[in-house]
PDB file of all heavy atoms in Angstrom:
ATOM      1  N   TYR A 399     -17.473 -63.189-262.884  1.00 93.00           N
ATOM      2  CA  TYR A 399     -18.262 -64.412-262.697  1.00 93.00           C
ATOM      3  C   TYR A 399     -17.549 -65.371-261.748  1.00 93.00           C
ATOM      4  O   TYR A 399     -18.170 -65.984-260.866  1.00 93.00           O
ATOM      5  CB  TYR A 399     -18.510 -65.068-264.056  1.00 93.00           C
ATOM      6  CG  TYR A 399     -19.341 -66.333-264.000  1.00 93.00           C
ATOM      7  CD1 TYR A 399     -20.392 -66.465-263.099  1.00 93.00           C
ATOM      8  CD2 TYR A 399     -19.092 -67.399-264.865  1.00 93.00           C
ATOM      9  CE1 TYR A 399     -21.160 -67.619-263.053  1.00 93.00           C
ATOM     10  CE2 TYR A 399     -19.854 -68.550-264.825  1.00 93.00           C
ATOM     11  CZ  TYR A 399     -20.885 -68.653-263.914  1.00 93.00           C
ATOM     12  OH  TYR A 399     -21.649 -69.796-263.860  1.00 93.00           O
ATOM     13  N   ILE A 400     -16.246 -65.510-261.901  1.00 91.00           N
ATOM     14  CA  ILE A 400     -15.482 -66.395-261.015  1.00 91.00           C
ATOM     15  C   ILE A 400     -15.557 -65.899-259.575  1.00 91.00           C
ATOM     16  O   ILE A 400     -15.769 -66.676-258.634  1.00 91.00           O
ATOM     17  CB  ILE A 400     -14.016 -66.482-261.492  1.00 91.00           C
ATOM     18  CG1 ILE A 400     -13.943 -67.227-262.826  1.00 91.00           C
ATOM     19  CG2 ILE A 400     -13.148 -67.179-260.449  1.00 91.00           C
ATOM     20  CD1 ILE A 400     -12.575 -67.186-263.487  1.00 91.00           C
ATOM     21  N   SER A 401     -15.400 -64.581-259.382  1.00 92.00           N
ATOM     22  CA  SER A 401     -15.525 -64.027-258.030  1.00 92.00           C
ATOM     23  C   SER A 401     -16.930 -64.233-257.482  1.00 92.00           C
ATOM     24  O   SER A 401     -17.107 -64.514-256.285  1.00 92.00           O
ATOM     25  CB  SER A 401     -15.173 -62.537-258.040  1.00 92.00           C
ATOM     26  OG  SER A 401     -13.823 -62.326-258.366  1.00 92.00           O
ATOM     27  N   ALA A 402     -17.943 -64.088-258.342  1.00 92.00           N
ATOM     28  CA  ALA A 402     -19.330 -64.287-257.907  1.00 92.00           C
ATOM     29  C   ALA A 402     -19.545 -65.727-257.458  1.00 92.00           C
ATOM     30  O   ALA A 402     -20.237 -65.986-256.459  1.00 92.00           O
ATOM     31  CB  ALA A 402     -20.293 -63.931-259.037  1.00 92.00           C
ATOM     32  N   ILE A 403     -18.966 -66.681-258.164  1.00 91.00           N
ATOM     33  CA  ILE A 403     -19.107 -68.088-257.774  1.00 91.00           C
ATOM     34  C   ILE A 403     -18.558 -68.302-256.371  1.00 91.00           C
ATOM     35  O   ILE A 403     -19.194 -68.917-255.506  1.00 91.00           O
ATOM     36  CB  ILE A 403     -18.385 -68.998-258.781  1.00 91.00           C
ATOM     37  CG1 ILE A 403     -19.117 -68.978-260.127  1.00 91.00           C
ATOM     38  CG2 ILE A 403     -18.296 -70.425-258.252  1.00 91.00           C
ATOM     39  CD1 ILE A 403     -18.376 -69.694-261.236  1.00 91.00           C
ATOM     40  N   ARG A 404     -17.373 -67.788-256.123  1.00 90.00           N
ATOM     41  CA  ARG A 404     -16.734 -67.997-254.818  1.00 90.00           C
ATOM     42  C   ARG A 404     -17.496 -67.268-253.710  1.00 90.00           C
ATOM     43  O   ARG A 404     -17.685 -67.808-252.613  1.00 90.00           O
ATOM     44  CB  ARG A 404     -15.273 -67.536-254.884  1.00 90.00           C
ATOM     45  CG  ARG A 404     -14.463 -68.267-255.959  1.00 90.00           C
ATOM     46  CD  ARG A 404     -12.981 -67.990-255.826  1.00 90.00           C
ATOM     47  NE  ARG A 404     -12.232 -68.519-256.959  1.00 90.00           N
ATOM     48  CZ  ARG A 404     -11.901 -69.790-257.126  1.00 90.00           C
ATOM     49  NH1 ARG A 404     -12.268 -70.676-256.228  1.00 90.00           N
ATOM     50  NH2 ARG A 404     -11.206 -70.192-258.186  1.00 90.00           N
ATOM     51  N   CYS A 405     -17.928 -66.043-253.977  1.00 92.00           N
ATOM     52  CA  CYS A 405     -18.645 -65.271-252.948  1.00 92.00           C
ATOM     53  C   CYS A 405     -20.010 -65.879-252.643  1.00 92.00           C
ATOM     54  O   CYS A 405     -20.387 -66.027-251.469  1.00 92.00           O
ATOM     55  CB  CYS A 405     -18.819 -63.826-253.415  1.00 92.00           C
ATOM     56  SG  CYS A 405     -17.298 -62.864-253.477  1.00 92.00           S
ATOM     57  N   LEU A 406     -20.750 -66.205-253.675  1.00 90.00           N
ATOM     58  CA  LEU A 406     -22.115 -66.684-253.463  1.00 90.00           C
ATOM     59  C   LEU A 406     -22.137 -68.079-252.865  1.00 90.00           C
ATOM     60  O   LEU A 406     -23.110 -68.451-252.205  1.00 90.00           O
ATOM     61  CB  LEU A 406     -22.886 -66.653-254.781  1.00 90.00           C
ATOM     62  CG  LEU A 406     -23.101 -65.248-255.353  1.00 90.00           C
ATOM     63  CD1 LEU A 406     -23.870 -65.312-256.663  1.00 90.00           C
ATOM     64  CD2 LEU A 406     -23.815 -64.350-254.360  1.00 90.00           C
ATOM     65  N   ARG A 407     -21.098 -68.853-253.055  1.00 89.00           N
ATOM     66  CA  ARG A 407     -21.034 -70.143-252.373  1.00 89.00           C
ATOM     67  C   ARG A 407     -20.796 -69.961-250.884  1.00 89.00           C
ATOM     68  O   ARG A 407     -21.208 -70.793-250.075  1.00 89.00           O
ATOM     69  CB  ARG A 407     -19.927 -71.001-252.988  1.00 89.00           C
ATOM     70  CG  ARG A 407     -20.381 -71.692-254.275  1.00 89.00           C
ATOM     71  CD  ARG A 407     -19.295 -72.556-254.865  1.00 89.00           C
ATOM     72  NE  ARG A 407     -19.848 -73.478-255.851  1.00 89.00           N
ATOM     73  CZ  ARG A 407     -19.116 -74.294-256.588  1.00 89.00           C
ATOM     74  NH1 ARG A 407     -17.792 -74.291-256.457  1.00 89.00           N
ATOM     75  NH2 ARG A 407     -19.685 -75.105-257.456  1.00 89.00           N
ATOM     76  N   LEU A 408     -20.125 -68.877-250.500  1.00 89.00           N
ATOM     77  CA  LEU A 408     -19.993 -68.576-249.070  1.00 89.00           C
ATOM     78  C   LEU A 408     -21.321 -68.090-248.504  1.00 89.00           C
ATOM     79  O   LEU A 408     -21.687 -68.415-247.375  1.00 89.00           O
ATOM     80  CB  LEU A 408     -18.917 -67.507-248.859  1.00 89.00           C
ATOM     81  CG  LEU A 408     -17.470 -67.910-249.165  1.00 89.00           C
ATOM     82  CD1 LEU A 408     -16.544 -66.717-248.983  1.00 89.00           C
ATOM     83  CD2 LEU A 408     -17.030 -69.057-248.270  1.00 89.00           C
ATOM     84  N   LEU A 409     -22.048 -67.298-249.286  1.00 90.00           N
ATOM     85  CA  LEU A 409     -23.333 -66.783-248.827  1.00 90.00           C
ATOM     86  C   LEU A 409     -24.397 -67.875-248.771  1.00 90.00           C
ATOM     87  O   LEU A 409     -25.221 -67.901-247.855  1.00 90.00           O
ATOM     88  CB  LEU A 409     -23.801 -65.661-249.765  1.00 90.00           C
ATOM     89  CG  LEU A 409     -23.152 -64.294-249.574  1.00 90.00           C
ATOM     90  CD1 LEU A 409     -23.552 -63.362-250.699  1.00 90.00           C
ATOM     91  CD2 LEU A 409     -23.525 -63.693-248.235  1.00 90.00           C
ATOM     92  N   ASP A 410     -24.385 -68.763-249.743  1.00 87.00           N
ATOM     93  CA  ASP A 410     -25.434 -69.777-249.846  1.00 87.00           C
ATOM     94  C   ASP A 410     -24.807 -71.086-250.322  1.00 87.00           C
ATOM     95  O   ASP A 410     -24.662 -71.307-251.530  1.00 87.00           O
ATOM     96  CB  ASP A 410     -26.514 -69.310-250.832  1.00 87.00           C
ATOM     97  CG  ASP A 410     -27.559 -70.382-251.068  1.00 87.00           C
ATOM     98  OD1 ASP A 410     -27.775 -71.198-250.153  1.00 87.00           O
ATOM     99  OD2 ASP A 410     -28.160 -70.396-252.156  1.00 87.00           O
ATOM    100  N   PRO A 411     -24.409 -71.967-249.405  1.00 84.00           N
ATOM    101  CA  PRO A 411     -23.764 -73.228-249.806  1.00 84.00           C
ATOM    102  C   PRO A 411     -24.629 -74.105-250.699  1.00 84.00           C
ATOM    103  O   PRO A 411     -24.098 -74.952-251.412  1.00 84.00           O
ATOM    104  CB  PRO A 411     -23.478 -73.908-248.457  1.00 84.00           C
ATOM    105  CG  PRO A 411     -23.416 -72.791-247.464  1.00 84.00           C
ATOM    106  CD  PRO A 411     -24.407 -71.781-247.930  1.00 84.00           C
ATOM    107  N   SER A 412     -25.942 -73.914-250.686  1.00 81.00           N
ATOM    108  CA  SER A 412     -26.796 -74.724-251.555  1.00 81.00           C
ATOM    109  C   SER A 412     -26.677 -74.330-253.020  1.00 81.00           C
ATOM    110  O   SER A 412     -27.152 -75.047-253.895  1.00 81.00           O
ATOM    111  CB  SER A 412     -28.261 -74.595-251.119  1.00 81.00           C
ATOM    112  OG  SER A 412     -28.797 -73.339-251.512  1.00 81.00           O
ATOM    113  N   SER A 413     -26.076 -73.169-253.311  1.00 82.00           N
ATOM    114  CA  SER A 413     -25.865 -72.660-254.675  1.00 82.00           C
ATOM    115  C   SER A 413     -27.157 -72.259-255.375  1.00 82.00           C
ATOM    116  O   SER A 413     -27.152 -71.975-256.576  1.00 82.00           O
ATOM    117  CB  SER A 413     -25.110 -73.678-255.547  1.00 82.00           C
ATOM    118  OG  SER A 413     -23.782 -73.817-255.105  1.00 82.00           O
ATOM    119  N   THR A 414     -28.247 -72.177-254.659  1.00 83.00           N
ATOM    120  CA  THR A 414     -29.496 -71.725-255.277  1.00 83.00           C
ATOM    121  C   THR A 414     -29.392 -70.263-255.681  1.00 83.00           C
ATOM    122  O   THR A 414     -29.828 -69.868-256.776  1.00 83.00           O
ATOM    123  CB  THR A 414     -30.672 -71.916-254.302  1.00 83.00           C
ATOM    124  OG1 THR A 414     -30.692 -73.278-253.861  1.00 83.00           O
ATOM    125  CG2 THR A 414     -31.987 -71.570-254.962  1.00 83.00           C
ATOM    126  N   VAL A 415     -28.813 -69.433-254.821  1.00 88.00           N
ATOM    127  CA  VAL A 415     -28.621 -68.019-255.162  1.00 88.00           C
ATOM    128  C   VAL A 415     -27.676 -67.890-256.351  1.00 88.00           C
ATOM    129  O   VAL A 415     -27.886 -67.061-257.240  1.00 88.00           O
ATOM    130  CB  VAL A 415     -28.062 -67.249-253.940  1.00 88.00           C
ATOM    131  CG1 VAL A 415     -27.660 -65.840-254.328  1.00 88.00           C
ATOM    132  CG2 VAL A 415     -29.101 -67.210-252.828  1.00 88.00           C
ATOM    133  N   LEU A 416     -26.645 -68.706-256.386  1.00 88.00           N
ATOM    134  CA  LEU A 416     -25.698 -68.660-257.498  1.00 88.00           C
ATOM    135  C   LEU A 416     -26.400 -68.920-258.818  1.00 88.00           C
ATOM    136  O   LEU A 416     -26.090 -68.277-259.828  1.00 88.00           O
ATOM    137  CB  LEU A 416     -24.592 -69.690-257.267  1.00 88.00           C
ATOM    138  CG  LEU A 416     -23.580 -69.860-258.407  1.00 88.00           C
ATOM    139  CD1 LEU A 416     -22.862 -68.552-258.695  1.00 88.00           C
ATOM    140  CD2 LEU A 416     -22.573 -70.948-258.064  1.00 88.00           C
TER     141      LEU A 416
END
Side-chain angles (χ1 to χ4, degrees):
Y399 181 36
I400 292 171
S401 295
I403 291 172
R404 302 191 189 282
C405 290
L406 295 180
R407 279 181 164 176
L408 292 177
L409 282 171
D410 175 28
S412 75
S413 291
T414 306
V415 171
L416 175 60

